[in-house]
Amino acid sequence: MENFYTTTAIDYVNGAPHIGHAYEKILTDIIYRHFTQRAENTYFLTGTDEHGIKIQKTSASQGITPQELCDINSQKFKDAWKALNVEYCQFIRTTDEQHKKIVQKIFKKLVDKGDIYKHSYTGLYCSGCEAFLSEKDLTEDGLCPDHKKKPEVVSEENYFFKLTKYKDAIAKHIKTNPDFIVPSFRANEVLNQLENIEDISVSRTKANVEWGIPVLGDEEQVIYVWIDALSTYITALGYDPDGSSEKFNKFWPANVQVIGKDILKFHSIYWLAILMALDLPLPKHILAHGWITIDETKMSKSLGNVISPTGVLEAFGLETPDALRYFMATSAPCGKDGNYSDNDFKEKVNAHLANSMGNLLNRTLSMLCKYFEGDVKQEFKIKSELFDMAIETVNAVKHHFDYYEVQEAAQKIMELVDATNKYVTDNAPWTLAKEGQMKECGQVLTTVLEIMCVISSLIYPYCPNIAKSMAEQLSYDLNTKLDDITCDNIKVGHLIDKESIKPVFLRLDSELADKSAKV
Ligand code: MSP
């Protein structure tokens, strides 16, 4: 694989990031890191969605400019991603000058093509969705199903995008590419939505919404929401209707665009239509992840159960985000909803990361020091059946990532950890040592250490700090590409001193567990 490009949704900056936003960024970062272990060139884009009536109103109520509010809140997202080791290559903001300039050009190109036209319209506008809704979208009480608010009746002359022109082409694309939408069970949902699709409003009058990108040559209108937000995926790379950058040509189309299930319609219908109208290739996959609930309840400000990802790190006294990354990434099968609770978090990471994986390395290295002063001898290096399982696990993990099954891949890794623990129990190196079978004892320990090298590579995308600490103690090169992994990494000679052995993950203090900070 040569180039790999992945993106997340760009978050609204009405408030601080919560654990749902974090889930998506962690998932994408794990996918990105996995593919850095496979592809030559990789690129990861995230960012913030900053225009719209909500920002205009909130900033006014706080007595600051919309730009000031965006600057403050966008920084909170950057800070959170830094704390979570989300290693994006670029953070785009819809208020970036370059982005605004290109969005204006994109809009003009679509007007010139006849795909955008002006039209007087009366519609039901939900400011929560930042979108017009049709009667069919509403609940029985006439409320927006997502925001539980009555939409406003808005009469305006707006620009409209001819979505209907692309309806058949989109349906054909989804039907002929059954793995385009991941998980594929969501494709039917999109095809049903497509049945009722109408042309969409893509501008608002400046009189009603000021905080947006002005339409070139029509100062009374601002480009609104989806053309602005979706275009970030290409403007960030340097797309330009008058001639794009090398980076754009290298990385577009994206391999996978990661979004929440609530915005799948915009990504698998609106976005495809815009790209078709611009004569650009379509992304290879859209991954629609599920939603994270808190203690099985939907997160909401009014319930006061909104969890801050950095709050969790602080409450548990975590110096690195690995445990939270691991927990979130494994909280749900691909595309399904997941749940966060302090207790589940603590129990899972203690069991998987501390007891199963961390202890395995720690006690094996300790035994190597106790029995062999940390030395590996040539006669310890044997072939083991466990090596076949390790290589099979590498292949299984790659296969799951080909379908962006992040949780499922982690499960495979933990199966290898469990099998290795069983191997240690079955072969009891401490008994071998007691009985003076030193060669056999050394062989068991070295076999385990070989497997631990493979595990450190596989766990790296989820837990980069733990993986680094493991690799360091094993003198293993974590930059090994997954295609080049073998079970012949432990070098004959001195591996480690007793003093250099350190636990890669400490159990979470149970007393701290209930104190997880709420935003
Ligand atoms: N700005 C738009 C996206 C534009 S993309 C061109 C938006 N922003 S958002 O802040 O509301 O949501 C950003 C992402 O976070 C979305 O993919 C959304 O699904 C995800 N999540 C928001 N709450 C979530 C949970 N509780 N759980 C998991 N993901 C959640 O939509």
Side-chain angles (χ1 to χ4, degrees):
M1 183 181 291
E2 207 179 314
N3 302 323
F4 183 87
Y5 176 40
T6 186
T7 64
T8 69
I10 51 168
D11 302 308
Y12 289 130
V13 285
N14 313 314
H18 57 58
I19 207 152
H21 299 126
Y23 173 57
E24 178 175 286
K25 290 7 175 220
I26 290 170
L27 270 188
T28 315
D29 186 62
I30 290 172
I31 292 171
Y32 164 72
R33 285 178 190 259
H34 172 86
F35 282 97
T36 59
Q37 297 180 306
R38 291 171 67 181
E40 288 298 313
N41 310 298
T42 45
Y43 206 73
F44 169 15
L45 176 74
T46 191
T48 41
D49 193 353
E50 306 190 0
H51 292 124
I53 191 75
K54 269 194 273 183
I55 292 295
Q56 192 181 316
K57 284 185 180 163
T58 313
S59 61
S61 72
Q62 294 181 5
I64 53 177
T65 65
Q67 188 64 58
E68 282 167 340
L69 180 65
C70 293
D71 290 348
I72 294 166
N73 283 348
S74 183
Q75 189 58 43
K76 291 181 186 161
F77 284 83
K78 284 188 179 170
D79 292 345
W81 305 158
K82 189 166 181 211
L84 294 174
N85 282 172
V86 171
E87 250 179 19
Y88 54 78
C89 304
Q90 187 179 346
F91 190 99
I92 189 155
R93 301 178 56 187
T94 51
T95 51
D96 288 345
E97 285 309 319
Q98 181 65 8
H99 169 75
K100 291 196 284 189
K101 207 173 92 195
I102 302 296
V103 166
Q104 288 180 320
K105 281 197 189 182
I106 289 173
F107 199 90
K108 183 169 181 308
K109 182 167 171 164
L110 300 181
V111 171
D112 293 347
K113 198 175 170 183
D115 279 354
I116 284 181
Y117 59 94
K118 224 170 178 183
H119 172 61
S120 287
Y121 179 75
T122 300
L124 298 166
Y125 193 81
C126 170
S127 62
C129 299
E130 303 267 17
F132 283 99
L133 303 180
S134 71
E135 295 277 0
K136 290 188 289 283
D137 296 329
L138 307 181
T139 64
E140 279 178 9
D141 314 330
L143 307 181
C144 161
D146 289 338
H147 298 94
K148 308 281 180 261
K149 273 193 198 147
K150 215 178 166 87
E152 252 177 278
V153 179
V154 171
S155 274
E156 279 185 14
E157 184 176 47
N158 294 157
Y159 284 99
F160 275 70
F161 174 62
K162 272 192 195 162
L163 196 55
T164 47
K165 177 175 163 189
Y166 297 97
K167 181 176 162 177
D168 293 343
I170 294 168
K172 188 171 164 213
H173 184 78
I174 294 173
K175 284 180 190 158
T176 53
N177 295 280
D179 59 355
F180 169 65
I181 295 172
V182 183
S184 54
F185 68 77
R186 292 215 179 272
N188 265 343
E189 196 178 299
V190 174
L191 289 169
N192 287 338
Q193 286 168 332
L194 198 53
E195 283 298 311
N196 305 315
I197 216 76
E198 290 169 6
D199 290 351
I200 49 164
S201 158
V202 286
S203 75
R204 298 292 309 271
T205 58
K206 211 170 183 175
N208 283 331
V209 182
E210 243 181 297
W211 186 236
I213 305 172
V215 173
L216 272 186
D218 189 349
E219 294 301 306
E220 289 317 301
Q221 296 273 332
V222 295
I223 300 168
Y224 210 46
V225 184
W226 291 102
I227 287 199
D228 174 12
L230 291 163
S231 298
T232 51
Y233 300 139
I234 52 176
T235 63
L237 293 179
Y239 169 73
D240 185 332
D242 296 330
S244 298
S245 70
E246 237 174 73
K247 200 202 258 171
F248 176 77
N249 295 329
K250 182 168 167 184
F251 285 111
W252 189 259
N255 295 70
V256 62
Q257 302 209 257
V258 184
I259 50 150
K261 62 181 185 180
D262 56 317
I263 52 172
L264 178 58
K265 173 174 151 188
F266 304 111
H267 284 77
S268 53
I269 300 180
Y270 294 18
W271 182 221
L272 293 206
I274 294 169
L275 289 168
M276 286 175 182
L278 293 172
D279 296 314
L280 288 175
L282 308 180
K284 292 182 189 138
H285 303 280
I286 303 285
L287 166 60
H289 61 74
W291 268 40
I292 298 295
T293 51
I294 305 299
D295 300 325
E296 310 295 344
T297 312
K298 197 172 172 187
M299 227 185 315
S300 84
K301 271 192 190 154
S302 51
L303 286 176
N305 65 348
V306 178
I307 297 264
S308 143
T310 45
V312 174
L313 299 184
E314 280 161 29
F316 284 97
L318 288 164
E319 278 168 23
T320 73
D322 290 34
L324 186 58
R325 289 172 61 98
Y326 179 79
F327 179 79
M328 296 312 297
T330 57
S331 64
C334 182
K336 298 274 170 65
D337 293 342
N339 183 60
Y340 174 87
S341 83
D342 285 347
N343 208 40
D344 292 350
F345 171 51
K346 190 186 65 183
E347 286 196 353
K348 187 183 223 175
V349 300
N350 280 349
H352 291 198
L353 303 181
N355 297 358
S356 297
M357 195 175 74
N359 267 353
L360 179 59
L361 178 68
N362 202 269
R363 62 194 179 122
T364 309
L365 287 175
S366 299
M367 282 189 272
L368 190 77
C369 286
K370 182 170 172 192
Y371 304 133
F372 305 104
E373 287 167 359
D375 292 346
V376 173
K377 298 184 185 153
Q378 183 62 49
E379 62 191 24
F380 295 172
K381 299 213 26 136
I382 51 159
K383 278 211 172 98
S384 161
E385 272 178 22
L386 213 48
F387 293 171
D388 296 334
M389 183 182 180
I391 300 302
E392 274 163 30
T393 305
V394 174
N395 291 330
V397 166
K398 276 163 59 182
H399 184 74
H400 280 304
F401 271 94
D402 286 340
Y403 296 91
Y404 308 111
E405 293 168 347
V406 175
Q407 185 231 35
E408 292 80 348
Q411 212 165 311
K412 283 281 163 199
I413 305 171
M414 281 305 143
E415 281 170 20
L416 179 61
V417 169
D418 290 345
T420 312
N421 270 310
K422 182 171 182 307
Y423 171 84
V424 175
T425 311
D426 290 350
N427 290 283
W430 48 88
T431 309
L432 294 171
K434 212 191 255 169
E435 291 170 352
Q437 300 189 59
M438 298 319 285
K439 185 172 92 179
E440 288 74 13
C441 173
Q443 287 173 343
V444 172
L445 299 180
T446 308
T447 297
V448 174
L449 296 176
E450 288 289 6
I451 302 292
M452 294 315 290
C453 293
V454 177
I455 289 172
S456 70
S457 266
L458 295 180
I459 206 71
Y460 161 77
Y462 302 80
C463 303
N465 302 283
I466 292 179
K468 277 177 202 155
S469 169
M470 287 169 74
E472 217 172 85
Q473 297 181 63
L474 292 160
S475 294
Y476 171 65
D477 180 7
L478 208 48
N479 293 318
T480 310
K481 292 270 182 198
L482 291 190
D483 283 341
D484 300 332
I485 282 198
T486 64
C487 290
D488 183 17
N489 298 294
I490 299 293
K491 285 162 210 71
V492 172
H494 185 64
L495 182 68
I496 196 161
D497 293 324
K498 197 173 155 212
E499 303 71 48
S500 309
I501 301 174
K502 34 180 201 287
V504 293
F505 181 69
L506 291 170
R507 286 176 60 85
L508 298 185
D509 178 343
S510 54
E511 284 200 354
L512 288 170
D514 300 328
K515 296 187 195 154
S516 183
K518 311 276 188 279
V519 178

